[in-house]
Amino acid sequence: MAQEGQIREKVYGKQKVYVADQSQFPDVDEAEVKVMDNKINEATQKLQATQEENKRLDMELKSLNSALTTEEARKQLTQVTQEVSQLRQKVHQLKEGGKIVSPEERNQVSTRRTKYVKEWRKRKRMSNDLLNAILEGYPKTKKVLYEEVGIETDEEYKVSPPEL
């Protein structure tokens, strides 16, 4: 192709570089270049809009996939309804004074409470550590990050883990 004049060969020491011979192409009008640039910009904007729409739809799909199905919700509803009725019976018995809490049950409740309070504190500490690590490289404030992510803190609701 170099011998035919379609491309030019340039020798730089031991290297050879081949480039297209620009003289064989017609001169491009400046107006055409601007029109092409405008088309490229429009196509880029359409691409960005489509990508944003795709991202939004993916997020919506993920949220719908993570939601409970109707059957799961019904099962959960029946389970919760049964628990509520059992607890109502227990409350009714306690109001009538018919049943007193046994020491074993009291110890079990105290142990579970301690376990849950420790877990609450542990999770709160872990999430705060993680969020503080994110905030080190985050350009905005802590409050803005919490709003964007949708985090509700104990302090917002004036709640703190009870003492053990």
Side-chain angles (χ1 to χ4, degrees):
M1 289 170 85
Q3 294 169 353
E4 297 171 8
Q6 292 178 347
I7 60 173
R8 288 193 181 182
E9 176 183 49
K10 293 183 180 184
V11 179
Y12 296 104
K14 293 182 180 180
Q15 294 180 343
K16 292 182 180 181
V17 177
Y18 295 93
V19 293
D21 185 11
Q22 298 295 317
S23 64
Q24 67 183 354
F25 298 115
D27 290 337
V28 180
D29 185 23
E30 193 66 32
E32 283 183 54
V33 172
K34 286 184 180 181
V35 168
M36 286 184 207
D37 284 343
N38 288 337
K39 285 182 181 179
I40 290 171
N41 288 337
E42 289 175 10
T44 304
Q45 288 174 354
K46 284 182 183 179
L47 174 65
Q48 287 176 348
T50 305
Q51 286 174 337
E52 288 175 9
E53 179 69 12
N54 189 19
K55 215 182 269 187
R56 184 189 66 78
L57 291 173
D58 279 344
M59 296 280 282
E60 186 176 338
L61 178 64
K62 285 179 185 176
S63 69
L64 290 174
N65 285 338
S66 66
L68 291 176
T69 64
T70 305
E71 291 177 22
E72 291 170 340
R74 285 184 180 144
K75 287 179 185 176
Q76 193 174 13
L77 177 63
T78 23
Q79 181 183 4
V80 170
T81 306
Q82 289 173 353
E83 287 179 29
V84 166
S85 65
Q86 290 172 354
L87 291 173
R88 282 189 178 159
Q89 282 181 332
K90 193 171 183 179
V91 167
H92 182 69
Q93 287 176 351
L94 289 174
K95 281 185 178 179
E96 290 181 356
K99 185 177 180 186
I100 299 175
V101 178
S102 68
E104 296 86 23
E105 193 174 359
R106 184 176 301 138
N107 287 338
Q108 183 183 17
V109 168
S110 176
T111 306
R112 285 190 358 220
R113 178 184 177 272
T114 304
K115 174 184 158 189
Y116 293 143
V117 168
K118 285 180 181 178
E119 188 67 25
W120 181 1
R121 288 185 175 153
K122 178 182 169 188
R123 289 181 182 196
K124 183 176 179 177
R125 183 179 58 252
M126 287 172 33
S127 64
N128 281 337
D129 290 347
L130 178 66
L131 288 166
N132 286 335
I134 291 171
L135 279 169
E136 287 177 10
Y138 193 70
K140 297 179 184 171
T141 65
K142 186 176 187 178
K143 186 176 182 180
V144 172
L145 174 66
Y146 282 19
E147 287 177 8
E148 286 180 1
V149 177
I151 295 176
E152 298 174 346
T153 62
D154 293 340
E155 290 76 21
E156 285 180 44
Y157 294 98
K158 297 180 178 116
V159 176
S160 64
E163 294 297 320
L164 294 177

